[in-house]
Amino acid sequence: MSTTSLPAPDHSPRLREALLAAVFTADGLLDLLGAPAYAALARSETVPALRATRGDSALEILVRLFLLQQPVPCERARAALPLAECIEGGWVTRTGDEVRATVDVRPYSGPEGQDWYIVSDLGCAVGGAGGIGSREEGVVLGVGGASTTLAGITVRTPVASALDVGTGSGIQALHASQHATRVTATDLNPRALDFTRLTLALSGVAPAELRQGSLYEPVGTETYDLIVSNPPFVISPGARLTYRDGGMGGDDLCRTLVQQTGDRLNEGGYAHFLANWQHIEGEEWQNRLSSWVPYGCDAWIVQREVQDVTQYAELWLRDSGDHRTDPAEYAARYDAWLDEFEARKTKGIGFGWITLRKSAAAAAGNPSVVIEEWPHAVEQPLGPAVQAHFARQDYLREQDDAALLAGHFALAAEVVQEQVGLPGAEDPEHVVLRQNRGMRRATKVDAVGAGFAGVCDGTLPAGRILDAIAQLMSEDPVLLRDRTPQAIRLLVEEGFLEPVPPTS
């Protein structure tokens, strides 16, 4: 798989025309296959899709050829494709009266409904034939959950320059092409750069500048407004699989990538990463990650899940198909993973998102570093919420308690209040404010907090609202003003309240 030659991007425009004419798109697939078969593809189950593509339509032929990787009779393929050109360009290969795809081509919908295509190695796109299960070192994967998660959390403001580190099949570079004037994509694997070139060409977007090398080595001292990376973050014994394994000890690859980012970001620029990190005996994981944050950068780090070392080893042994090998070989590999973790005193592996932003305040010695655990569902795309988080941090850094009490706030959109208590009780045990957008947070508040949030519409300053609440609740207004700013600060930080200009 990883040694075969790849198609030439020169023939991409004609192929793209044929794919669009047949409605070989994300929406077209859903319409053809129906929701159950479409969902089964995401689980790498192909039988329902095979049953739904028994006809002779161009769309059915293309699904069987490029997505399910089934042989297709030449005459049927000719009705759906510029066949001679696709054979000459290397997109398909002919054997007798049949043709087969040489690469996996998966329809992918852009954020504004663009019809894009992700090109990867056969069988290595989520929803491809049989899932990943590859033990080949140079294999290039297609789109998966990690790819779409990273694309969703990225801030999408117009920028002059963007860098995709470890581009793979080019998914992040494809997204960046929509809002960056110049896109650079790097990868240690030259085959990945070839796939990125195909993905961009077949998707009809401008080409990126492609450079081979590890981490920031290919770009030297150049700086960017946006940096994104879905790196080979798996913590494993050795670097057997280039697409997956970091190749450095423990979580050193992710640490190195993050720490070296500060020198590559322009002022105000964002960097977004997916990462794994070790949970070490006797060490707080938050302290470990805090040490990764480079000088001059604010950071927001969110741990999405934690696995114990056995779960982690089993996950990635199955990912590469090792569980289908000789049982003794599988056991030896499993044992090697556990030896590695034991030697490093690793008790668990965390996974999550790391976002950095270069800021003058951080460079002046006042960085905002928020590290938290949030395993709950969020609303994607999360990019706007990420940008809003850093804007709130900027605001809070500039406000002392007196300024907060003089400030005006509004309750964020779609925040609801829940009262929790025994049925029939006169008063609730506690009140919960819950977001239905972005991070979808929930926070417990007391009666003052609930009353304060409920009347925040930007009309009155916070201090005057508290004075009114004190009068209603027969409390000392001075004491209430003294104890409430920290609660207001937390509600602003977590996005329940938004600072607004005063309204009349």
Side-chain angles (χ1 to χ4, degrees):
M1 181 188 301
S2 59
T3 58
T4 58
S5 59
L6 296 180
D10 302 350
H11 300 276
S12 300
R14 285 286 310 279
L15 176 57
R16 176 173 171 81
E17 290 175 6
L19 299 181
L20 292 176
V23 201
F24 184 62
T25 64
D27 289 340
L29 279 182
L30 182 58
D31 290 341
L32 171 68
L33 302 179
Y38 191 82
L41 277 180
R43 304 189 299 271
S44 298
E45 295 292 347
T46 59
V47 172
L50 288 169
R51 291 173 61 87
T53 55
R54 293 171 172 171
D56 294 326
S57 72
L59 178 55
E60 289 167 294
I61 294 166
L62 292 172
V63 171
R64 292 181 74 87
L65 181 64
F66 284 118
L67 191 57
L68 303 177
Q69 289 125 39
Q70 298 295 307
V72 172
C74 289
E75 289 307 310
R76 295 184 67 188
R78 190 172 288 111
L81 290 168
L83 185 59
E85 191 170 339
C86 286
I87 293 174
E88 179 187 355
W91 291 94
V92 298
T93 182
R94 179 171 181 172
T95 304
D97 294 331
E98 292 182 331
V99 293
R100 284 183 175 271
T102 61
V103 291
D104 186 301
V105 177
R106 181 175 178 83
Y108 181 68
S109 182
E112 298 178 0
Q114 301 98 325
D115 290 317
W116 291 339
Y117 298 96
I118 308 301
V119 188
S120 63
D121 270 312
L122 292 172
C124 290
V126 172
I132 299 172
S134 173
R135 306 172 75 205
E136 297 196 39
E137 180 182 348
V139 71
V140 177
L141 305 187
V143 64
S147 306
T148 55
T149 294
L150 180 58
I153 66 174
T154 300
V155 173
R156 297 295 176 192
T157 53
V159 294
S161 57
L163 173 64
D164 178 10
V165 180
T167 187
S169 54
I171 297 159
Q172 308 309 320
L174 181 58
H175 278 274
S177 71
Q178 302 303 289
H179 63 104
T181 304
R182 176 174 63 92
V183 178
T184 302
T186 70
D187 206 288
L188 182 63
N189 181 4
R191 185 176 176 83
L193 300 178
D194 291 335
F195 271 115
T196 294
R197 187 177 291 110
L198 292 174
T199 289
L200 299 179
L202 194 57
S203 297
V205 306
E209 182 181 356
L210 305 177
R211 302 186 192 180
Q212 183 185 355
S214 176
L215 300 181
Y216 292 113
E217 178 187 56
V219 300
T221 59
E222 296 177 37
T223 58
Y224 298 84
D225 302 314
L226 173 67
I227 298 174
V228 292
S229 183
N230 177 17
F233 54 66
V234 175
I235 299 170
S236 65
R240 188 164 55 109
L241 302 176
T242 303
Y243 73 88
R244 188 193 75 175
D245 300 327
M248 298 183 184
D251 52 20
D252 282 356
L253 182 134
C254 290
R255 177 186 56 80
T256 301
L257 176 64
V258 173
Q259 287 181 335
Q260 293 181 354
T261 297
D263 294 333
R264 272 78 181 188
L265 267 183
N266 292 327
E267 180 72 20
Y270 286 90
H272 304 273
F273 310 106
L274 300 185
N276 273 172
W277 44 79
Q278 298 171 106
H279 283 228
I280 304 294
E281 292 180 15
E283 182 179 350
E284 293 294 331
W285 68 270
Q286 295 93 335
N287 294 339
R288 182 180 187 81
L289 291 179
S290 179
S291 71
W292 292 11
V293 178
Y295 170 79
C297 288
D298 301 317
W300 186 19
I301 301 174
V302 182
Q303 180 167 274
R304 296 290 287 161
E305 64 176 312
V306 182
Q307 291 183 309
D308 67 46
V309 293
T310 58
Q311 291 174 315
Y312 189 80
E314 290 162 13
L315 169 67
W316 293 111
L317 287 168
R318 284 181 169 81
D319 173 81
S320 57
D322 286 302
H323 62 301
R324 293 194 290 267
T325 63
D326 175 72
E329 181 182 349
Y330 172 78
R333 290 196 183 279
Y334 197 154
D335 205 39
W337 284 65
L338 297 184
D339 283 344
E340 176 81 3
F341 291 138
E342 183 177 347
R344 295 183 177 276
K345 298 183 179 180
T346 304
K347 61 181 181 180
I349 306 294
F351 167 80
W353 317 323
I354 298 176
T355 296
L356 305 176
R357 186 192 58 166
K358 194 75 169 282
S359 79
N366 187 24
S368 166
V369 178
V370 177
I371 302 175
E372 62 176 319
E373 188 163 14
W374 189 253
H376 311 293
V378 300
E379 180 193 40
Q380 287 279 31
L382 201 63
V386 173
Q387 189 175 12
H389 165 87
F390 285 97
R392 293 193 299 269
Q393 296 302 316
D394 287 342
Y395 172 83
L396 290 171
R397 269 191 293 214
E398 298 171 355
Q399 311 297 313
D400 59 16
D401 287 356
L404 275 181
L405 292 175
H408 293 243
F409 302 94
L411 191 65
E414 298 193 35
V415 171
V416 297
Q417 175 179 304
E418 300 174 358
Q419 298 188 20
V420 180
L422 294 174
E426 183 176 347
D427 296 312
E429 293 179 15
H430 58 263
V431 176
V432 173
L433 299 181
R434 187 178 301 278
Q435 301 168 353
N436 288 314
R437 304 295 302 273
M439 291 291 285
R440 293 177 173 163
R441 297 185 186 276
T443 189
K444 193 185 299 185
V445 294
D446 59 14
V448 172
F452 180 84
V455 299
C456 277
D457 60 3
T459 304
L460 296 174
R464 288 191 53 192
I465 294 175
L466 289 177
D467 290 344
I469 292 175
Q471 185 175 5
L472 286 172
M473 301 181 69
S474 300
E475 289 207 30
D476 185 330
V478 175
L479 294 179
L480 192 60
R481 278 175 172 256
D482 285 344
R483 76 167 193 258
T484 306
Q486 186 57 37
I488 297 175
R489 194 174 293 275
L490 180 62
L491 290 175
V492 172
E493 181 177 339
E494 295 191 342
F496 291 94
L497 294 178
E498 298 174 347
V500 296
T503 59
S504 57

